[in-house]
Structures are given as structure tokens and as C-alpha cells.
């Protein structure tokens, strides 16, 4: 069988050996942004497990950009050494190491999920949050400070510096996080962006910071390496960011040189009713792909090989991103190949267990 899931995908100078990517998922296991052996084993095992692209979890561009005090960061040169060990191991397994660069905005300064996930105040080790407008995510949260022009310029420059460090650390793909209610998404959506300057109001103004971040990253990121953007295609709320705006933005990003849109949804406001079901976000990847021609990645309750194969076979996306299914099964890709009767190379250390 010649499955689409196990066909290669070339993005600029990088060829992925298959169409399976590990979606960025926070591990909340860092100290002051520094990666640990947990990250080496976590990402390394999924590279051993046959995925073609491993995208590292949301990695903060500044200390105040972390979701929690236990988030990974790339705001010190000293962060590079351990990350280089991780990327080196991933590449030794024939996979590509990618990194998601992020700033949490008003959703920063929170406890790690297994400690409740609530916003931390200063006495609890938290910090002042930042956002396009002084509107809290939860009513009980302290309001963020609305960024001034100098603050916006600093964030754009922090993305630039983090991208430069990512290159030194050995990553071969960058994903800019503009989804899930974090800072850039907060600028995109009129629900969280009430600004009256050039960064608020019209569609062109609300997307401005993302375009400036992309251009800032491109100044240091090689033109021959992939640049991805993760977008929440809809807020699932009336008068919020929506699919039509996502398609317009994707077309702009394509012209700017972005290679792939990683299509997620939601996260901007709490207590939203989302029609969760297997593959519930795939339709957005399909629309963006068909209406703009840019490569897209599909994510969201994609849990088995045949489901992933059908998405690609029906030309609904170019890449599938596996999240929770890969937490349950680090060898998701190897097992998917067996289900689809594809004979793929296994790590030589594991060949004796190959079906």
C-alpha cells in the first residue's frame, strides 16, 4: 500500500519522511525556562517512534511570556545548550526538530495545571501580565496591563532574539504561536483587542503585530527553513475572530513567506461551547488550503491511522498533528504504518519487535 500519510512532504529545504507531526504540548517541567532530561526523553521518544516532525511545546520568548513558572523559555543564551542536546537526538532519529515560540499575554502567570491552573499573584510567584487591552481572561483574574508602543516593540524584538537562539540550538522549523488565546491571538480578536491605535480596530490593524513578528523572525531565520504559524481559526463566539478572517490572514501570511498554517481553534475566552468530535477542526484546515493554496496542518482529536490517512487522501490538509494520541502512544507513527501496511524503517534497536 502507498499511503499518503507515509509519503514525504518537502517544505523549502526540509523533507519530512512522512506527514505525521507531534503537536506542541506543554510539559510544565522546566525551571526558569531551562529544559530538563524530561524534555530530552519526551521529545526523543516520539522521534524514535517514527514521527517526521517534532514541534516543541510553547517556548516563551520572555519570562513574562510564560504560561506558568514551569514553561520552557528561550530568553537566555544559556537555554541553548540543553535544547541543542534535544535537537541533536531528534535529528539522529531521522526526524525534524521544530519549536513553537510563544508569549502568553493575559493568560500568563498561572499555576501548573495539576496545581489548579489559576492565575498566580505576586506573592505566589506570579507576575504582571500584558495584553493588547486591559481585559482579564477570567473575571476573577487581575487585569493585564495594556501594552504601549515600546512594549509591543520589545515583544517583536524578543521573537527575533528567540528565533536567533532557536537556530543556534539546532531547530529546523519555527512555529509562531498565534492561537489558543495567547498574546498574538489576543491582538487578532476584537473580543480581547479594544485598542484605538494602529494595532486595534480594523482587520488590518489587528493582524499587524503578527505580520511584524513574522518579519522580525524572518530577519534571522534562514529563508530555506520552514516557518509555520499556528492560528485559532475561530473563537467559537459571536463577534469574535472567525474563519473568514483566518482565510484572509492566511493569504497575507502566504504572500509574506509563511509556509504552513497549523489550524486549531478556540482558547480566547473561557466557558465556550465547542462542538468537539473526532477531527472537529479539520474543516478549517481544508478551507484554508483550498481557498489560499497555502500548506495546512490538521489537528484536533485525530487519534488513529485510518482517520489521519483519510484527511490527507481527501486533500483536506497536508500534514496531521498528533497530540494526546501521542502521549498515550509515543510510537504512534510506527503503529500507524503497521495498520496501513506500510513497511517503514524502525530503529535498529527495536527491529526485533517489528510486526
Amino acid at each position: 500500500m502507498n499511503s499518503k500519510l507515509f509519503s514525504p512532504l518537502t517544505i523549502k529545504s526540509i523533507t519530512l519522511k512522512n506527514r505525521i507531526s507531534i503537536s506542541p504540548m506543554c510539559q510544565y517541567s522546566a525551571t526558569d525556562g531551562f529544559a530538563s532530561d524530561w524534555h530530552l526523553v519526551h521529545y526523543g521518544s516520539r522521534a524514535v517512534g517514527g514521527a517526521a516532525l517534532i514541534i516543541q511545546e510553547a517556548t516563551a520568548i520572555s519570562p513574562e511570556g510564560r504560561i506558568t513558572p514551569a514553561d520552557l523559555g528561550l530568553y537566555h543564551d544559556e537555554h541553548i545548550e540543553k535544547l541543542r542536546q534535544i535537537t541533536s537526538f531528534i535529528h539522529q532519529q531521522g526526524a525534524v526538530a521544530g519549536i513553537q515560540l510563544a508569549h502568553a499575554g493575559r493568560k500568563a502567570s498561572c499555576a501548573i495545571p495539576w496545581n489548579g491552573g489559576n492565575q498566580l499573584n505576586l506573592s505566589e510567584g506570579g507576575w504582571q501580565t500584558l495584553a493588547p487591552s486591559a481585559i482579564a481572561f477570567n473575571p476573577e483574574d487581575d487585569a493585564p496591563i495594556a501594552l504601549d508602543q515600546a512594549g509591543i516593540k520589545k515583544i517583536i524584538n524578543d521573537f527575533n532574539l528567540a528565533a536567533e537562539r532557536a537556530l543556534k540550538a539546532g531547530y529546523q522549523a519555527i512555529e509562531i504561536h498565534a492561537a489558543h488565546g495567547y498574546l498574538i491571538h489576543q491582538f487578532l480578536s476584537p473580543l480581547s483587542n479594544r485598542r484605538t491605535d494602529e494595532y486595534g480596530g480594523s482587520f488590518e490593524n489587528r493582524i499587524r503585530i503578527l505580520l511584524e513578528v513574522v518579519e522580525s523572525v524572518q530577519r534571522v531565520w534562514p529563508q530555506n527553513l520552514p516557518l509555520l504559524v499556528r492560528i485559532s481559526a475561530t473563537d467559537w463566539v459571536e463577534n469574535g475572530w472567525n474563519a473568514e478572517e483566518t482565510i484572509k490572514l492566511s493569504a497575507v501570511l502566504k504572500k509574506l513567506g509563511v509556509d504552513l498554517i497549523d489550524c486549531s481553534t478556540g482558547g480566547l475566552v473561557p466557558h465556550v461551547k465547542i462542538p468537539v468530535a473526532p477531527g472537529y477542526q479539520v474543516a478549517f484546515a481544508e478551507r484554508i488550503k483550498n481557498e489560499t493554496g497555502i500548506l495546512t496542518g490538521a489537528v484536533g482529536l485525530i487519534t488513529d491511522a485510518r482517520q489521519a490517512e483519510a484527511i490527507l487522501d481527501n486533500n483536506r490538509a497536508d500534514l496531521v498533528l498528533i497530540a494526546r494520541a501521542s502521549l498515550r502512544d509515543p510510537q504512534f507513527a510506527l503503529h500507524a504504518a503497521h495498520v496501513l501496511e506500510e513497511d517503514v524503517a524502525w530503529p535498529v534497536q527495536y527491529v526485533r519487535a517489528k510486526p
Side-chain angles (χ1 to χ4, degrees):
M1 179 178 178
N2 293 313
S3 81
K4 192 74 179 286
L5 189 61
F6 286 92
S7 65
L9 175 65
T10 297
I11 306 175
K12 291 182 175 169
S13 67
I14 299 297
T15 296
L16 305 178
K17 63 184 178 183
N18 59 51
R19 307 295 182 101
I20 298 172
S21 172
I22 302 301
S23 198
M25 293 174 285
C26 290
Q27 298 297 295
Y28 307 108
S29 300
T31 302
D32 189 24
F34 283 88
S36 67
D37 285 347
W38 175 269
H39 300 96
L40 173 63
V41 173
H42 171 71
Y43 293 112
S45 62
R46 280 141 190 88
V48 168
L53 174 63
I54 315 292
I55 305 179
Q56 182 174 296
E57 65 200 81
T59 302
I61 60 165
S62 61
E64 63 274 14
R66 294 173 296 167
I67 306 164
T68 78
D71 283 27
L72 283 176
L74 202 42
Y75 44 84
H76 294 316
D77 288 344
E78 290 77 14
H79 288 145
I80 293 171
E81 183 179 1
K82 186 66 175 183
L83 296 177
R84 190 182 286 130
Q85 182 188 8
I86 294 169
T87 61
S88 176
F89 185 84
I90 289 171
H91 296 150
Q92 287 170 27
Q93 312 314 310
V96 171
I99 185 171
Q100 185 186 70
L101 299 180
H103 190 299
R106 69 179 187 178
K107 292 178 77 174
S109 187
C110 292
I112 57 179
W114 49 88
N115 287 338
N118 296 322
Q119 188 184 70
L120 299 170
N121 59 41
L122 297 181
S123 66
E124 296 170 317
W127 54 89
Q128 176 63 57
T129 59
L130 306 169
S133 302
I135 305 168
F137 176 68
N138 289 302
E140 62 271 19
D141 291 347
D142 293 332
I145 290 176
L147 284 157
D148 59 14
Q149 295 283 337
I152 290 173
K153 284 183 170 58
K154 178 185 183 299
I155 283 164
I156 293 167
N157 188 57
D158 285 344
F159 271 98
N160 171 280
L161 295 173
E164 193 170 28
R165 293 186 183 106
L167 185 64
K168 291 176 181 177
Y171 293 94
Q172 295 181 327
I174 280 179
E175 177 172 274
I176 296 169
H177 200 352
H180 297 166
Y182 298 121
L183 183 69
I184 296 176
H185 185 184
Q186 291 160 28
F187 273 90
L188 296 179
S189 177
L191 299 176
S192 48
N193 184 349
R194 306 286 174 79
R195 301 177 73 94
T196 56
D197 64 0
E198 65 265 40
Y199 291 98
S202 68
F203 168 81
E204 289 74 18
N205 283 354
R206 285 182 282 117
I207 70 170
R208 189 181 306 277
I209 191 170
L210 174 55
L211 304 188
E212 291 180 350
V213 165
V214 168
E215 290 170 339
S216 177
V217 167
Q218 287 173 322
R219 285 198 289 273
V220 294
W221 190 245
Q223 290 186 357
N224 67 327
L225 292 181
L227 180 59
L228 291 61
V229 174
R230 173 165 268 196
I231 293 174
S232 282
T234 176
D235 290 337
W236 299 108
V237 177
E238 190 175 356
N239 299 320
W241 181 260
N242 58 48
E244 285 67 33
E245 288 181 311
T246 293
I247 290 164
K248 283 172 62 180
L249 173 59
S250 298
V252 174
L253 291 173
K254 184 186 180 192
K255 287 181 182 177
L256 205 57
V258 170
D259 299 294
L260 184 143
I261 303 296
D262 178 357
C263 305
S264 191
T265 64
L268 185 86
V269 290
H271 314 303
V272 175
K273 290 184 179 179
I274 298 175
V276 176
Y280 70 104
Q281 297 174 145
V282 175
F284 297 103
E286 183 178 20
R287 276 196 67 186
I288 294 166
K289 175 179 170 61
N290 290 340
E291 295 185 34
T292 71
I294 196 168
L295 297 174
T296 61
V299 63
L301 286 184
I302 302 170
T303 57
D304 67 70
R306 290 192 175 88
Q307 178 194 14
E309 177 69 19
I311 291 167
L312 299 171
D313 202 40
N314 292 318
N315 206 32
R316 304 187 72 191
D318 301 281
L319 187 71
V320 294
L321 291 103
I322 306 299
R324 287 171 176 81
S326 78
L327 296 182
R328 292 187 288 268
D329 179 8
Q331 281 79 39
F332 178 91
L334 297 181
H335 296 151
H338 177 63
V339 169
L340 297 175
E341 299 179 9
E342 286 288 339
D343 185 17
V344 300
W346 277 45
V348 292
Q349 297 91 336
Y350 289 0
V351 166
R352 64 184 180 273
K354 186 175 179 180

